[in-house]
Amino acid sequence: MKSKYSSYYINDIAKGCKYCVKGEKLVLFISGKCSRNCYYCSLSNKRKNKDVVWLNERICKNPKDAIKEALESNATSAGITGGDPFLYLERTLSYAKALKKRFGKNFHIHIYLPTKLLTKDKLKKLSRYIDEIRFHPEFLINKNKKIINEDLNKIKLASLFWKKQNIGIELPMIPDRKKDILDFIIKISHYMGFANFNEFELSETNCKPLTKNYILNEGGYTIKGSKQAGIWLLKELKKRKIKINLHLCTAELKNNYQFMNRLKRHNIFKFGYKTKEGMVKYLTTDIKNKYKLNKLKIKEYYIDKEKNRIILSNYSANRLLSNKNSKIKIYLIEEFPTYDRIETEKGEIKTSKKQWATTP
Ligand code: SF4
């Protein structure tokens, strides 16, 4: 069944995904170091193999930064990813604990975990703060039959600490491995409540092996046949009466819902305008014009110290533009509301306009 978020599902989608599609999840990237080296790993060069914590687009030094980012992005929940969080278990626990302490036990936290370093003891520790657990099994990179059994036995351990509906697996939907994935889910379905399949995507780091072995869809970053393989898998599992929640998460969902909705929820500065895509527009002038603004008795503005600029209200901008003697340059800027605040457009404006930008 197609969801209203351009994804496909059977039965229902996992609780963590419900927060995620609405842009309510804080993405806590615990480290770029990993216990594995999957050929399809899509981590960017900026993150892969670097022991740095990221909170959405923000480099994070400690759990206090995580609280700040959660507040600025109005998150109601978090998803912990990596790398391999098992390599940094104490760090993972300290961030999860801090988020629960500040936002309460209803602040939903899910985690992605490669199975390689999984032990009962580590799961027990995680279960104190983690609501939902998503395993990334090893069998996709290691065809040894023993590995499948190891994966199965490790995943079964989770039922000692979580209810079935909060245990799942998450995998890239590799089209030529659809039968192996089907067999694996049939074997493990009694011990978990959901399975998530991500449309297979190209990134700057997996580009070589993927372009060598697969054809790309038009648009250039998703693998041909991945979505179709996912739909096939959903249908096969339904035919076999597998009762767990199944979700095929598409690239379209990630861009048009998860990411865009997260942008829309993000705080912006005073006098800014949000676009319907979640971007923000500001009317700005250089911070060195502050003295001139005061002299001209312009009062509606906000000083953005980090970017050395003054954000003007529509009214202030128009007053300056209609004053031929002011000689103050004003720019209309469009940028991401996120911590990195990357500008996507900047143009000088020279004539006044009733309303430069509006929030839809
Ligand atoms: S387990 Fe995940 S993070 Fe680690 S290499 Fe594989 S895909 Fe990348």
Side-chain angles (χ1 to χ4, degrees):
M1 197 192 300
K2 195 161 181 181
S3 75
K4 59 180 178 183
Y5 305 108
S6 302
S7 63
Y8 298 84
Y9 72 101
I10 297 215
N11 299 323
D12 199 356
I13 61 174
K15 195 168 177 186
C17 296
K18 288 182 181 166
Y19 290 102
C20 181
V21 290
K22 289 192 264 172
E24 294 182 18
K25 281 263 171 193
L26 178 76
V27 184
L28 168 47
F29 181 85
I30 212 72
S31 172
K33 298 250 183 195
C34 193
S35 56
R36 288 176 27 184
N37 186 21
C38 308
Y39 72 91
Y40 50 76
C41 181
S42 59
L43 295 186
S44 64
N45 280 320
K46 213 160 62 171
R47 299 190 181 203
K48 200 174 166 86
N49 294 323
K50 315 263 183 334
D51 184 24
V52 178
V53 181
W54 289 82
L55 254 304
N56 296 335
E57 290 74 20
R58 177 186 204 133
I59 288 186
C60 190
K61 291 190 192 73
N62 51 50
K64 274 189 190 156
D65 285 349
I67 307 289
K68 262 192 233 159
E69 181 62 27
L71 290 169
E72 283 171 25
S73 60
N74 293 297
T76 62
S77 45
I80 303 179
T81 178
D84 189 345
F86 279 138
L87 281 175
Y88 299 93
L89 190 66
E90 289 311 314
R91 181 189 293 172
T92 304
L93 293 168
S94 71
Y95 276 84
K97 185 179 174 185
L99 288 167
K100 286 281 189 190
K101 194 171 168 206
R102 173 62 178 79
F103 299 108
K105 66 173 172 36
N106 289 335
F107 189 88
H108 185 271
I109 303 182
H110 74 262
I111 192 166
Y112 299 93
L113 290 170
T115 46
K116 189 167 181 159
L117 305 177
L118 188 161
T119 64
K120 187 174 152 188
D121 188 47
K122 288 177 191 164
L123 289 183
K124 189 176 178 191
K125 286 183 178 168
L126 285 171
S127 68
R128 291 174 64 195
Y129 310 109
I130 304 294
D131 300 289
E132 185 184 286
I133 193 148
R134 299 170 173 217
F135 295 109
H136 184 184
E138 191 102 3
F139 75 90
L140 282 180
I141 52 160
N142 189 338
K143 290 192 178 169
N144 185 333
K145 280 202 175 140
K146 263 194 187 159
I147 290 294
I148 296 190
N149 285 333
E150 269 179 43
D151 271 340
L152 292 170
N153 288 332
K154 284 177 178 175
I155 294 171
K156 282 177 191 171
L157 289 173
S159 47
L160 295 171
F161 309 107
W162 286 270
K163 285 187 183 152
K164 195 177 161 189
Q165 73 258 31
N166 298 322
I167 305 167
I169 58 167
E170 181 144 340
L171 299 169
M173 193 55 243
I174 304 173
D176 46 316
R177 302 296 303 277
K178 64 182 184 185
K179 288 203 173 110
D180 299 331
I181 300 174
L182 176 71
D183 290 345
F184 188 82
I185 292 175
I186 292 169
K187 282 184 188 142
I188 194 74
S189 63
H190 290 301
Y191 299 91
M192 65 179 197
F194 66 93
N196 258 18
F197 315 109
N198 293 312
E199 187 175 5
F200 203 16
E201 283 185 56
L202 196 71
S203 79
E204 56 179 340
T205 56
N206 66 16
C207 171
K208 256 195 186 168
L210 263 58
T211 46
K212 194 174 153 211
N213 297 313
Y214 299 96
I215 299 168
L216 300 176
N217 282 321
E218 219 173 288
Y221 72 101
T222 51
I223 303 298
K224 203 167 187 167
S226 171
K227 198 154 97 177
Q228 292 73 8
I231 293 169
W232 175 88
L233 191 55
L234 260 52
K235 284 183 182 161
E236 288 298 313
L237 288 162
K238 191 179 177 190
K239 254 196 251 166
R240 286 166 168 80
K241 299 195 175 15
I242 300 294
K243 296 250 163 30
I244 62 173
N245 295 332
L246 301 163
H247 188 210
L248 170 62
C249 183
T250 58
E252 207 180 328
L253 178 149
K254 290 191 178 81
N255 295 331
N256 296 351
Y257 295 94
Q258 175 192 352
F259 185 58
M260 209 189 279
N261 287 339
R262 182 158 70 76
L263 295 184
K264 286 179 187 170
R265 295 178 64 82
H266 207 284
N267 289 352
I268 60 171
F269 293 122
K270 205 171 175 188
F271 307 126
Y273 301 89
K274 274 194 188 175
T275 72
K276 62 179 188 318
E277 291 82 23
M279 301 295 279
V280 56
K281 287 191 176 190
Y282 293 120
L283 291 156
T284 70
T285 190
D286 197 283
I287 203 156
K288 67 177 190 271
N289 293 322
K290 186 171 175 286
Y291 174 72
K292 283 190 195 166
L293 292 184
N294 291 344
K295 221 172 150 197
L296 290 164
K297 298 198 165 41
I298 301 284
K299 290 187 180 138
E300 278 188 5
Y301 61 80
Y302 171 79
I303 308 248
D304 178 4
K305 283 186 192 147
E306 275 173 43
K307 282 204 165 187
N308 276 329
R309 64 185 184 182
I310 296 173
I311 297 173
L312 300 161
S313 73
N314 201 78
Y315 172 74
S316 298
N318 278 344
R319 271 192 60 198
L320 290 169
L321 289 163
S322 53
N323 180 344
K324 289 194 178 81
N325 300 321
S326 91
K327 294 203 173 81
I328 289 177
K329 283 191 178 182
I330 300 175
Y331 300 91
L332 180 63
I333 289 175
E334 183 171 305
E335 65 187 32
F336 284 92
T338 45
Y339 184 76
D340 50 7
R341 298 202 271 138
I342 295 169
E343 288 174 14
T344 51
E345 267 179 56
K346 180 174 181 176
E348 189 183 345
I349 52 172
K350 295 192 171 165
T351 47
S352 60
K353 193 170 157 185
K354 200 171 170 204
Q355 191 71 43
W356 279 103
T358 50
T359 297

